[in-house]
Amino acid sequence: MTLIKSISGIRGTIGGTPGETLNPLDIVKFTSAYATFIRRSGKSKSNTIVVGRDGRISGPMVKNVVCGTLMGMGYDVINIGYGTTPTTELAVRMSKSAGGIIITASHNPRQWNALKLLNNEGEFLTKDDGNEVLRIAEAEDFDYADVDHLGKYMVDNSFDQRHIDSVLDLKLVDCEAIRKAHFRVCVDSINSVGGIILPHLLDKLGVAYTFLNGECTGQFAHNPEPLEKNLGGIMDEVKNGKYDLGIVVDPDVDRLAFIQENGKMYGEEYTLVTVADYVLDHVKGPTVSNLSSTRALRDVTEKHGCKYYASAVGEVNVTTKMKEVGAVIGGEGNGGVIYPESHYGRDALVGIALFLSSLAQKGCKASELRASFPNYFIAKNRIDLQPTTDVDAILAKMKEKYSGAEGVQVTDIDGVKLDFPTKWVHMRKSNTEPIIRVYSEASSMAEADALGKQMMDEIAKLV
């Protein structure tokens, strides 16, 4: 049983003891703190907050608690029902609301749920703002509305279509080329909200499709993290079904991975690389990804004569750097595409439309498109820990060990990253789970995996 409180929200397993899991009492406290922060910030004159949720079976319970608490704080609630993370983000902007709460634990398994917190721009809270929410929650520094000032409740199911329309209106989404390509795709939407919105997007683009795990039941058919080890079903279906492409999203549809027409993984790291290359073909400018993302984005960006920047891991860190440098495209190597022409949030719908536009304009197979990019291999490992483990102390020892080592560049803005001449490894504490993520990249999978395992063995001696 786990409860994780961070600047990005509150996340945990359902059921159990208050203070130790995600349960109604902690949901009330954290939602109250968020509503108090939004009001005190004074950034919006609106009295509405948007609430959307993914397909998790705990969603109705969490939604009811969140909406009731917001109303008790005096806020009017716009419940958009089933909604992807990017749809909820856009709904905040489109409705000119004061903020939004997304009820989703993203790629975590079915027993988890979470509250992701948005500001009035439909973007995740900054570190300072998130810390203030945590302070208010800890101090229980909030007051509820009296009977004459309780909030109202309304349902608005229009935002899926408005989201799709906004994607189709993007200048670089070549709807005509996509329709003429007559693509046939297979989609794994992991029994969550992707099964609701993606058919409508693909219909508008003239793409023929088959869905696996397409019913929004919340009963995830496999581990919902879109990694190769979890995607054997769709890989086999694409290989045997004469598809042009396989499309995989996570439960809240902000992460995106592709399967090549031959049934092999395109590589979730190359989702952003491919979209960035397409965007840079048409618009020059900087790109941004986080420290745990492939070097291929840097290579592609420099090929176009543009500048690449790295940020700390975390969507808000990526978007902050993107705004700082005026990036035309950015995101994360986990399949997260952030396209400022749409909005500053990871959006699988935008990623799908831009990827299909590139594939259609180039008139090639997905495997041929993938082969056109620098070929790196990244190994993604994790070390599971007890919630009481001092991860910061462990990473500090790893930094100390390699600082000053010949041929090694150490970066510590987010955990510890060790850059070697032809490979790198990044070790960092997860924002959402009691684990250390160990990502390593090299010119072969064997070399990348060996580097990651070496670091994991060294960390094991320190735990």
Short mmCIF file of all heavy atoms in Angstrom, two decimals, residues 360-399:
data_model
loop_
_atom_site.label_atom_id
_atom_site.label_comp_id
_atom_site.label_asym_id
_atom_site.label_seq_id
_atom_site.Cartn_x
_atom_site.Cartn_y
_atom_site.Cartn_z
N ALA A 360 2.79 9.77 -44.41
CA ALA A 360 2.05 9.96 -45.66
C ALA A 360 2.83 10.80 -46.65
O ALA A 360 2.89 10.49 -47.85
CB ALA A 360 0.69 10.61 -45.36
N GLN A 361 3.43 11.89 -46.18
CA GLN A 361 4.18 12.77 -47.08
C GLN A 361 5.41 12.09 -47.65
O GLN A 361 5.77 12.28 -48.81
CB GLN A 361 4.57 14.06 -46.36
CG GLN A 361 3.42 15.00 -46.10
CD GLN A 361 3.88 16.35 -45.55
OE1 GLN A 361 5.07 16.62 -45.45
NE2 GLN A 361 2.92 17.20 -45.19
N LYS A 362 6.07 11.26 -46.85
CA LYS A 362 7.28 10.59 -47.30
C LYS A 362 6.96 9.37 -48.15
O LYS A 362 7.83 8.87 -48.89
CB LYS A 362 8.15 10.21 -46.10
CG LYS A 362 8.77 11.41 -45.39
CD LYS A 362 9.59 10.99 -44.19
CE LYS A 362 10.40 12.15 -43.63
NZ LYS A 362 9.56 13.24 -43.11
N GLY A 363 5.75 8.83 -48.02
CA GLY A 363 5.34 7.70 -48.83
C GLY A 363 6.16 6.45 -48.59
O GLY A 363 6.42 5.67 -49.52
N CYS A 364 6.56 6.24 -47.34
CA CYS A 364 7.39 5.08 -47.02
C CYS A 364 6.73 4.22 -45.94
O CYS A 364 5.70 4.59 -45.38
CB CYS A 364 8.77 5.53 -46.54
SG CYS A 364 8.75 6.49 -45.00
N LYS A 365 7.33 3.06 -45.68
CA LYS A 365 6.86 2.20 -44.61
C LYS A 365 7.39 2.72 -43.27
O LYS A 365 8.40 3.43 -43.21
CB LYS A 365 7.33 0.77 -44.83
CG LYS A 365 6.77 0.10 -46.07
CD LYS A 365 7.32 -1.31 -46.21
CE LYS A 365 6.76 -2.00 -47.45
NZ LYS A 365 7.32 -3.37 -47.61
N ALA A 366 6.71 2.30 -42.19
CA ALA A 366 7.15 2.73 -40.86
C ALA A 366 8.58 2.27 -40.58
O ALA A 366 9.39 3.01 -40.01
CB ALA A 366 6.20 2.19 -39.79
N SER A 367 8.93 1.05 -40.99
CA SER A 367 10.28 0.55 -40.77
C SER A 367 11.32 1.34 -41.54
O SER A 367 12.44 1.56 -41.07
CB SER A 367 10.38 -0.94 -41.15
OG SER A 367 10.04 -1.12 -42.51
N GLU A 368 10.95 1.81 -42.72
CA GLU A 368 11.87 2.64 -43.52
C GLU A 368 12.06 4.00 -42.88
O GLU A 368 13.17 4.56 -42.88
CB GLU A 368 11.34 2.77 -44.94
CG GLU A 368 11.32 1.45 -45.71
CD GLU A 368 10.57 1.54 -47.02
OE1 GLU A 368 9.74 2.46 -47.18
OE2 GLU A 368 10.80 0.67 -47.88
N LEU A 369 10.99 4.56 -42.34
CA LEU A 369 11.09 5.84 -41.65
C LEU A 369 11.99 5.71 -40.43
O LEU A 369 12.86 6.55 -40.19
CB LEU A 369 9.69 6.33 -41.25
CG LEU A 369 9.60 7.71 -40.59
CD1 LEU A 369 10.16 8.79 -41.49
CD2 LEU A 369 8.15 8.03 -40.23
N ARG A 370 11.79 4.64 -39.65
CA ARG A 370 12.62 4.42 -38.47
C ARG A 370 14.09 4.27 -38.84
O ARG A 370 14.98 4.78 -38.14
CB ARG A 370 12.12 3.17 -37.74
CG ARG A 370 12.99 2.70 -36.59
CD ARG A 370 13.03 3.71 -35.46
NE ARG A 370 13.87 3.21 -34.37
CZ ARG A 370 15.20 3.29 -34.34
NH1 ARG A 370 15.85 3.83 -35.36
NH2 ARG A 370 15.87 2.81 -33.31
N ALA A 371 14.37 3.59 -39.94
CA ALA A 371 15.76 3.34 -40.36
C ALA A 371 16.47 4.62 -40.79
O ALA A 371 17.70 4.64 -40.92
CB ALA A 371 15.79 2.32 -41.49
N SER A 372 15.72 5.70 -41.02
CA SER A 372 16.33 6.96 -41.47
C SER A 372 16.95 7.76 -40.33
O SER A 372 17.61 8.77 -40.58
CB SER A 372 15.27 7.81 -42.20
OG SER A 372 14.28 8.29 -41.29
N PHE A 373 16.76 7.30 -39.09
CA PHE A 373 17.25 8.05 -37.94
C PHE A 373 18.46 7.37 -37.31
O PHE A 373 18.67 6.16 -37.46
CB PHE A 373 16.13 8.19 -36.89
CG PHE A 373 14.93 8.93 -37.40
CD1 PHE A 373 13.71 8.28 -37.54
CD2 PHE A 373 15.02 10.26 -37.76
CE1 PHE A 373 12.61 8.95 -38.02
CE2 PHE A 373 13.93 10.94 -38.24
CZ PHE A 373 12.72 10.29 -38.38
N PRO A 374 19.29 8.15 -36.58
CA PRO A 374 20.43 7.57 -35.87
C PRO A 374 19.96 6.43 -34.97
O PRO A 374 18.91 6.52 -34.33
CB PRO A 374 20.96 8.74 -35.04
CG PRO A 374 20.49 9.97 -35.75
CD PRO A 374 19.17 9.60 -36.35
N ASN A 375 20.74 5.36 -34.93
CA ASN A 375 20.30 4.14 -34.25
C ASN A 375 20.98 3.99 -32.89
O ASN A 375 22.14 3.58 -32.81
CB ASN A 375 20.59 2.92 -35.12
CG ASN A 375 19.66 1.77 -34.80
OD1 ASN A 375 18.55 1.98 -34.33
ND2 ASN A 375 20.10 0.56 -35.06
N TYR A 376 20.24 4.33 -31.85
CA TYR A 376 20.71 4.11 -30.49
C TYR A 376 19.81 3.08 -29.82
O TYR A 376 18.67 2.87 -30.24
CB TYR A 376 20.67 5.41 -29.67
CG TYR A 376 21.63 6.48 -30.14
CD1 TYR A 376 21.17 7.62 -30.80
CD2 TYR A 376 22.99 6.37 -29.90
CE1 TYR A 376 22.03 8.61 -31.22
CE2 TYR A 376 23.88 7.36 -30.31
CZ TYR A 376 23.39 8.47 -30.97
OH TYR A 376 24.25 9.47 -31.38
N PHE A 377 20.33 2.48 -28.78
CA PHE A 377 19.56 1.51 -28.01
C PHE A 377 19.54 1.95 -26.55
O PHE A 377 20.59 2.26 -25.98
CB PHE A 377 20.16 0.11 -28.14
CG PHE A 377 20.12 -0.44 -29.53
CD1 PHE A 377 21.11 -0.11 -30.45
CD2 PHE A 377 19.08 -1.26 -29.94
CE1 PHE A 377 21.08 -0.60 -31.74
CE2 PHE A 377 19.04 -1.76 -31.21
CZ PHE A 377 20.04 -1.44 -32.12
N ILE A 378 18.36 1.99 -25.98
CA ILE A 378 18.22 2.44 -24.60
C ILE A 378 17.62 1.33 -23.76
O ILE A 378 16.63 0.70 -24.15
CB ILE A 378 17.38 3.73 -24.51
CG1 ILE A 378 17.43 4.32 -23.11
CG2 ILE A 378 15.96 3.54 -24.98
CD1 ILE A 378 16.96 5.77 -23.06
N ALA A 379 18.24 1.06 -22.63
CA ALA A 379 17.75 0.07 -21.68
C ALA A 379 17.11 0.81 -20.51
O ALA A 379 17.72 1.72 -19.94
CB ALA A 379 18.90 -0.81 -21.19
N LYS A 380 15.87 0.42 -20.19
CA LYS A 380 15.13 1.08 -19.12
C LYS A 380 14.91 0.09 -17.99
O LYS A 380 14.13 -0.85 -18.12
CB LYS A 380 13.81 1.63 -19.63
CG LYS A 380 13.98 2.68 -20.73
CD LYS A 380 12.65 3.29 -21.16
CE LYS A 380 12.88 4.37 -22.22
NZ LYS A 380 11.63 5.06 -22.61
N ASN A 381 15.64 0.28 -16.91
CA ASN A 381 15.55 -0.60 -15.75
C ASN A 381 15.09 0.17 -14.53
O ASN A 381 15.06 1.42 -14.53
CB ASN A 381 16.92 -1.25 -15.48
CG ASN A 381 17.33 -2.21 -16.58
OD1 ASN A 381 16.72 -3.25 -16.76
ND2 ASN A 381 18.37 -1.86 -17.33
N ARG A 382 14.74 -0.56 -13.49
CA ARG A 382 14.28 0.07 -12.26
C ARG A 382 14.71 -0.77 -11.07
O ARG A 382 14.86 -1.98 -11.17
CB ARG A 382 12.75 0.23 -12.26
CG ARG A 382 12.01 -1.05 -12.48
CD ARG A 382 10.52 -0.82 -12.61
NE ARG A 382 9.85 -0.74 -11.31
CZ ARG A 382 8.59 -0.37 -11.15
NH1 ARG A 382 7.87 -0.02 -12.19
NH2 ARG A 382 8.05 -0.31 -9.95
N ILE A 383 14.91 -0.10 -9.97
CA ILE A 383 15.23 -0.76 -8.71
C ILE A 383 14.09 -0.44 -7.74
O ILE A 383 13.88 0.72 -7.38
CB ILE A 383 16.57 -0.26 -8.14
CG1 ILE A 383 17.69 -0.48 -9.14
CG2 ILE A 383 16.88 -0.98 -6.82
CD1 ILE A 383 19.01 0.15 -8.72
N ASP A 384 13.34 -1.46 -7.35
CA ASP A 384 12.24 -1.26 -6.42
C ASP A 384 12.78 -1.15 -5.00
O ASP A 384 13.62 -1.94 -4.57
CB ASP A 384 11.25 -2.41 -6.52
CG ASP A 384 10.52 -2.42 -7.86
OD1 ASP A 384 9.54 -1.68 -7.99
OD2 ASP A 384 10.96 -3.14 -8.78
N LEU A 385 12.27 -0.15 -4.26
CA LEU A 385 12.76 0.14 -2.93
C LEU A 385 11.62 0.20 -1.93
O LEU A 385 10.44 0.28 -2.30
CB LEU A 385 13.49 1.49 -2.93
CG LEU A 385 14.66 1.63 -3.92
CD1 LEU A 385 15.08 3.08 -4.02
CD2 LEU A 385 15.85 0.77 -3.49
N GLN A 386 11.95 0.22 -0.68
CA GLN A 386 10.98 0.49 0.36
C GLN A 386 10.72 2.00 0.41
O GLN A 386 11.62 2.80 0.13
CB GLN A 386 11.50 0.02 1.73
CG GLN A 386 11.70 -1.48 1.81
CD GLN A 386 10.42 -2.25 1.60
OE1 GLN A 386 9.36 -1.86 2.10
NE2 GLN A 386 10.49 -3.34 0.85
N PRO A 387 9.50 2.43 0.75
CA PRO A 387 9.21 3.87 0.82
C PRO A 387 10.13 4.63 1.76
O PRO A 387 10.32 5.84 1.61
CB PRO A 387 7.76 3.90 1.32
CG PRO A 387 7.18 2.59 0.88
CD PRO A 387 8.30 1.60 0.99
N THR A 388 10.73 3.94 2.72
CA THR A 388 11.60 4.60 3.70
C THR A 388 13.05 4.71 3.24
O THR A 388 13.87 5.34 3.92
CB THR A 388 11.56 3.82 5.03
OG1 THR A 388 11.91 2.45 4.77
CG2 THR A 388 10.17 3.89 5.65
N THR A 389 13.40 4.13 2.11
CA THR A 389 14.78 4.16 1.63
C THR A 389 15.21 5.59 1.29
O THR A 389 14.47 6.33 0.66
CB THR A 389 14.95 3.28 0.37
OG1 THR A 389 14.56 1.94 0.68
CG2 THR A 389 16.39 3.28 -0.10
N ASP A 390 16.41 5.98 1.70
CA ASP A 390 16.94 7.32 1.42
C ASP A 390 17.59 7.31 0.04
O ASP A 390 18.80 7.09 -0.10
CB ASP A 390 17.95 7.73 2.50
CG ASP A 390 18.35 9.20 2.39
OD1 ASP A 390 18.08 9.80 1.34
OD2 ASP A 390 18.93 9.72 3.36
N VAL A 391 16.79 7.55 -0.97
CA VAL A 391 17.27 7.50 -2.35
C VAL A 391 18.29 8.61 -2.61
O VAL A 391 19.29 8.40 -3.31
CB VAL A 391 16.09 7.61 -3.33
CG1 VAL A 391 16.59 7.61 -4.78
CG2 VAL A 391 15.10 6.47 -3.12
N ASP A 392 18.05 9.79 -2.07
CA ASP A 392 18.96 10.92 -2.31
C ASP A 392 20.37 10.60 -1.82
O ASP A 392 21.36 10.95 -2.48
CB ASP A 392 18.44 12.18 -1.60
CG ASP A 392 17.14 12.69 -2.22
OD1 ASP A 392 16.97 12.52 -3.44
OD2 ASP A 392 16.31 13.24 -1.49
N ALA A 393 20.48 9.94 -0.68
CA ALA A 393 21.80 9.59 -0.14
C ALA A 393 22.51 8.59 -1.06
O ALA A 393 23.73 8.69 -1.28
CB ALA A 393 21.65 9.01 1.26
N ILE A 394 21.74 7.65 -1.60
CA ILE A 394 22.33 6.66 -2.51
C ILE A 394 22.87 7.34 -3.77
O ILE A 394 24.00 7.08 -4.21
CB ILE A 394 21.28 5.59 -2.88
CG1 ILE A 394 20.92 4.75 -1.66
CG2 ILE A 394 21.77 4.71 -4.02
CD1 ILE A 394 19.76 3.82 -1.89
N LEU A 395 22.07 8.22 -4.35
CA LEU A 395 22.49 8.90 -5.58
C LEU A 395 23.67 9.84 -5.32
O LEU A 395 24.54 10.01 -6.18
CB LEU A 395 21.32 9.67 -6.18
CG LEU A 395 20.16 8.80 -6.69
CD1 LEU A 395 19.02 9.66 -7.21
CD2 LEU A 395 20.64 7.84 -7.79
N ALA A 396 23.71 10.44 -4.13
CA ALA A 396 24.84 11.30 -3.77
C ALA A 396 26.15 10.51 -3.75
O ALA A 396 27.21 11.00 -4.17
CB ALA A 396 24.60 11.97 -2.42
N LYS A 397 26.09 9.28 -3.28
CA LYS A 397 27.28 8.43 -3.25
C LYS A 397 27.71 8.05 -4.67
O LYS A 397 28.92 7.96 -4.96
CB LYS A 397 27.00 7.19 -2.41
CG LYS A 397 26.85 7.47 -0.92
CD LYS A 397 26.52 6.20 -0.14
CE LYS A 397 26.33 6.51 1.34
NZ LYS A 397 25.96 5.29 2.12
N MET A 398 26.73 7.81 -5.55
CA MET A 398 27.08 7.49 -6.94
C MET A 398 27.73 8.69 -7.62
O MET A 398 28.70 8.55 -8.38
CB MET A 398 25.83 7.05 -7.70
CG MET A 398 25.23 5.73 -7.22
SD MET A 398 26.35 4.32 -7.46
CE MET A 398 26.31 4.17 -9.25
N LYS A 399 27.22 9.88 -7.35
CA LYS A 399 27.83 11.10 -7.90
C LYS A 399 29.26 11.26 -7.41
O LYS A 399 30.18 11.55 -8.19
CB LYS A 399 26.99 12.32 -7.50
CG LYS A 399 27.63 13.64 -7.91
CD LYS A 399 26.88 14.83 -7.32
CE LYS A 399 27.64 16.11 -7.58
NZ LYS A 399 26.98 17.28 -6.92
#
